[in-house]
Amino acid sequence: MATPRSLILQEAAIISFLLFCIGLQLKVVCFLQPDTPLDETYLGFTLEATEFSPAQEYDYIIVGGGTAGCPLAATLSEKYSVLLLERGGVANLDPNIQYENNSLTTLLIANNKDSPAQNFISEDGIPNSRGRVLGGSSMINFGFYSRADDYFYQNSGIEWDNSEVERAYEWVENSIVTRPNHLGQWQESTLNALLQSGVNPANGFTLDHVQGTKISGSTFDDSGRRHGAVELLNKANLGNLKVVVHATVGRVIFSTSESLAASGVTYHDSNGRSHEVHVRKYGEVILSAGALGSPQLLLVSGLGPVSYLSSMKIPVVRDHPFIGQFMADNPRSSVNLLVPQTLLDVGVRVVGITKSGPYIESTAVPRLTLPINFIPSFGSLIPPLNLSIVIIGGKVIRPLSTGSLHLLSASDVTISPSVRFNYYSHTEDILQCGNAVEVLRKVLDTQAMEEYKFSNIFGGKDFKYIGPSIPEDPSDMESIATFCRESLSTFWHIHGGCLVNKVVDSHLKVIGVDSLRVVDASTFFNSPGTNPQATLMMLGRYIGVEMLKERATN
């Protein structure tokens, strides 16, 4: 039995925590408490497609249970029946998904069959991955959580209600976002190096996008457990939501009885059995299948450029010339260092938002027995047992270089489309990479980085690079451009393909088609903030709330 003194201490701790939350109410209602157990309530209404008998109609059918799809489904279920179809499975028991120390392994073992991360190589030759699991890419990323920048809101083309945006962020943050209690060794060194290199001011902890160096939130708690978008499903009205996994949507069904409108979808289960489901009057089909999946599904369903669809022998439902266009991926040019010690803090907690444009992030790499294919020149190198590898990367923001997506199959959506991003095809992107290189040069020249050098035979100390090193002459733009291209890899922040004002309108409704929306990163003309997952989860909640209001009004 608790003593009066212990009860008083407990009550004092609770009051202190509530006061802390109230003090933050203008920014964040409250953070997920450290070491909060995983909430797997959603498993109670999640079914395998082979065991699910769909109803004839639903108010809303959402294709893709990912970073935006999960909060969207939970929100719409507050008032209406929702069917959420996810092509991947549930990864609640996968230690590579659950724990931060194993998070890199998920990307390394990705395949084209059934892994939570699906790997692909762009036509540019750069390895990449996308989510194929309930919770989407929020379940395979490094967990960094930071809100969007002002430029994104002002230029996205989406109609924003700022107060609702704030509430949507808070709705996410009080469920799955942790404020780090402390920084590990490498993240502390990254913080100090950024500040010593002039990436000022020191902003401490903040979720907001502000110039300088900051610590941000994470969807990994302090015990290293992941809390992804899948846990936002726990906020649903359980009686109104059905989540079906291993359900691969093949196409959107259209009705032309009055005006052109989406009326349902076809999907197949893991046994290959086909199913057809429809939406009720005033209902909608919503694509949240990601920057590759949503444009792919629109194209195979007959929306796209007439000449292209005809060449693929796809019956044309409506001419939509910009579907699959303006595909972009933010280039990452990095230095990769072998360091003379073992670093245990895998993950990202710190970012430098520079005056010159690029964002700087870094992570330590645990000892692995697999080659890391997204570090150029890494090959099959495995570091000695007592040493670690660190990656310090510069992200080119708002790249002007864009490309397009092309189907490799006109009917089989399990065959991923081909995509070209045309990295660094625009001179401005190379110049911005040059700015990142200059920041990386200054970071490596700080006192905070000295302990990560090796002693040489001349009595000095040097870094041990894996892959290209920073060009010696900061004025040699040809060498800098070569470094940018040789060190090129991805931040996995793919976007485009269904842009606002080209494919969808300011409410994300597909232009010229009733009852059809796209709610995911394919609608973004640039990746929001330093890392997009916060904005995508906010977007799912935000659009869901706006749809509830819109339907109530109408």
Side-chain angles (χ1 to χ4, degrees):
M1 179 178 294
T3 65
R5 177 178 172 78
S6 66
L7 288 173
I8 291 171
L9 291 173
Q10 289 175 18
E11 289 174 359
I14 293 171
I15 292 170
S16 297
F17 183 73
L18 290 175
L19 288 173
F20 170 72
C21 293
I22 292 169
L24 290 175
Q25 65 182 348
L26 294 179
K27 290 293 182 184
V28 181
V29 174
C30 198
F31 292 108
L32 183 72
Q33 295 188 54
D35 303 328
T36 300
L38 299 176
D39 185 348
E40 297 182 333
T41 305
Y42 64 89
L43 293 176
F45 50 89
T46 299
L47 300 168
E48 282 285 337
T50 53
E51 301 171 359
F52 176 66
S53 297
Q56 188 174 5
E57 293 181 328
Y58 296 86
D59 290 303
Y60 296 101
I61 298 172
I62 301 174
V63 181
T67 313
C70 286
L72 177 62
T75 301
L76 291 175
S77 75
E78 293 173 13
K79 298 287 185 181
Y80 300 99
S81 64
V82 179
L83 176 64
L84 178 62
L85 300 172
E86 166 55 43
R87 69 190 181 119
V90 176
N92 63 305
L93 298 179
D94 187 339
N96 295 327
I97 295 289
Q98 280 189 326
Y99 297 106
E100 188 170 24
N101 284 341
N102 300 335
S103 57
L104 194 59
T105 305
T106 304
L107 298 176
L108 300 181
I109 63 173
N111 59 47
N112 279 318
K113 297 179 181 178
D114 55 5
S115 58
Q118 181 179 13
N119 59 8
F120 68 95
I121 298 177
S122 71
E123 293 177 15
D124 315 88
I126 303 300
N128 215 314
S129 299
R130 58 178 176 143
R132 182 174 47 194
V133 62
L134 188 62
S137 294
S138 77
M139 307 299 287
I140 65 169
N141 62 19
F142 294 114
F144 195 73
Y145 183 98
S146 184
R147 295 184 178 189
D149 53 308
D150 290 340
Y151 183 92
F152 172 78
Y153 297 121
Q154 294 162 4
N155 296 276
S156 66
I158 299 171
E159 287 193 13
W160 299 110
D161 177 327
N162 292 336
S163 60
E164 287 294 351
V165 168
E166 183 72 19
R167 281 191 281 270
Y169 274 126
E170 292 172 355
W171 184 87
V172 172
E173 289 153 9
N174 64 21
S175 297
I176 64 170
V177 180
T178 297
R179 173 176 181 159
N181 274 342
H182 64 278
L183 295 180
Q185 178 186 342
W186 177 247
Q187 289 300 296
E188 186 74 38
S189 295
T190 300
L191 177 75
N192 292 333
L194 285 167
L195 292 173
Q196 291 171 18
S197 67
V199 184
N200 294 310
N203 294 304
F205 173 83
T206 178
L207 298 180
D208 291 333
H209 185 97
V210 288
Q211 185 180 296
T213 297
K214 72 164 191 166
I215 303 165
S216 201
S218 178
T219 51
F220 287 105
D221 63 26
D222 282 340
S223 66
R225 289 175 301 194
R226 187 192 297 274
H227 298 270
V230 67
E231 287 187 62
L232 298 174
L233 290 172
N234 298 323
K235 293 172 171 281
N237 178 341
L238 307 189
N240 279 345
L241 177 60
K242 294 297 181 184
V243 179
V244 184
V245 295
H246 294 124
T248 303
V249 173
R251 66 183 178 89
V252 178
I253 303 169
F254 295 101
S255 169
T256 56
S257 56
E258 295 178 4
S259 58
L260 179 63
S263 61
V265 301
T266 63
Y267 73 91
H268 67 264
D269 59 33
S270 55
N271 290 334
R273 227 174 44 157
S274 184
H275 308 266
E276 187 172 305
V277 285
H278 293 266
V279 291
R280 296 189 177 109
K281 188 176 183 180
Y282 307 120
E284 293 185 29
V285 173
I286 308 163
L287 304 188
S288 295
L292 268 63
S294 289
Q296 177 192 25
L297 191 54
L298 290 176
L299 289 171
V300 299
S301 301
L303 300 183
V306 169
S307 59
Y308 177 70
L309 296 177
S310 299
S311 71
M312 296 292 293
K313 295 182 172 53
I314 298 173
V316 177
V317 173
R318 191 183 194 281
D319 181 27
H320 242 299
F322 298 116
I323 291 176
Q325 303 301 308
F326 306 104
M327 298 293 301
D329 183 29
N330 300 78
R332 169 169 62 93
S333 288
S334 307
V335 289
N336 313 302
L337 305 174
L338 184 67
V339 297
Q341 51 188 286
T342 302
L343 296 170
L344 301 178
D345 58 317
V346 178
V348 181
R349 299 291 187 278
V350 173
V351 66
I353 300 172
T354 67
K355 292 180 182 178
S356 58
Y359 308 145
I360 307 297
E361 294 181 11
S362 180
T363 187
V365 178
R367 177 172 169 78
L368 300 161
T369 57
L370 296 167
I372 304 177
N373 60 358
F374 55 80
I375 299 180
S377 307
F378 192 92
S380 58
L381 171 66
I382 302 298
L385 280 172
N386 60 336
L387 303 182
S388 291
I389 293 170
V390 297
I391 305 171
I392 311 173
K395 176 181 177 178
V396 172
I397 66 170
R398 300 191 282 274
L400 297 179
S401 305
T402 64
S404 58
L405 175 147
H406 304 283
L407 300 175
L408 295 181
S409 171
S411 57
D412 186 354
V413 295
T414 64
I415 299 175
S416 288
S418 179
V419 61
R420 175 179 290 277
F421 298 112
N422 290 319
Y423 299 103
Y424 292 137
S425 60
H426 199 287
T427 303
E428 181 61 33
D429 297 343
I430 285 287
L431 294 175
Q432 193 180 150
C433 179
N435 293 338
V437 170
E438 187 57 28
V439 177
L440 294 176
R441 184 195 311 281
K442 292 177 180 178
V443 165
L444 293 177
D445 199 35
T446 60
Q447 184 61 39
M449 291 288 106
E450 282 297 309
E451 65 177 301
Y452 301 108
K453 292 180 177 179
F454 288 84
S455 298
N456 60 37
I457 59 174
F458 303 107
K461 287 189 170 183
D462 301 303
F463 289 115
K464 287 195 175 179
Y465 289 90
I466 299 170
S469 59
I470 293 289
E472 294 182 4
D473 183 355
S475 65
D476 186 350
M477 286 307 298
E478 185 175 341
S479 295
I480 289 172
T482 298
F483 170 84
C484 291
R485 292 190 170 97
E486 289 182 350
S487 65
L488 171 63
S489 52
T490 182
F491 266 104
W492 303 279
H493 297 167
I494 307 164
H495 53 282
C498 298
L499 292 192
V500 177
N501 295 327
K502 292 190 179 295
V503 176
V504 297
D505 66 14
S506 60
H507 299 281
L508 305 188
K509 298 178 181 180
V510 176
I511 296 168
V513 185
D514 293 339
S515 305
L516 182 62
R517 296 193 204 222
V518 181
V519 183
D520 58 28
S522 69
T523 64
F524 293 169
F525 83 106
N526 75 278
S527 182
T530 61
N531 301 71
Q533 77 160 344
T535 308
L536 282 166
M537 288 188 274
M538 177 278 289
L539 182 74
R541 171 64 177 177
Y542 178 87
I543 293 296
V545 169
E546 292 302 300
M547 289 175 68
L548 293 178
K549 289 180 180 179
E550 176 185 299
R551 188 156 178 182
T553 301
N554 293 339

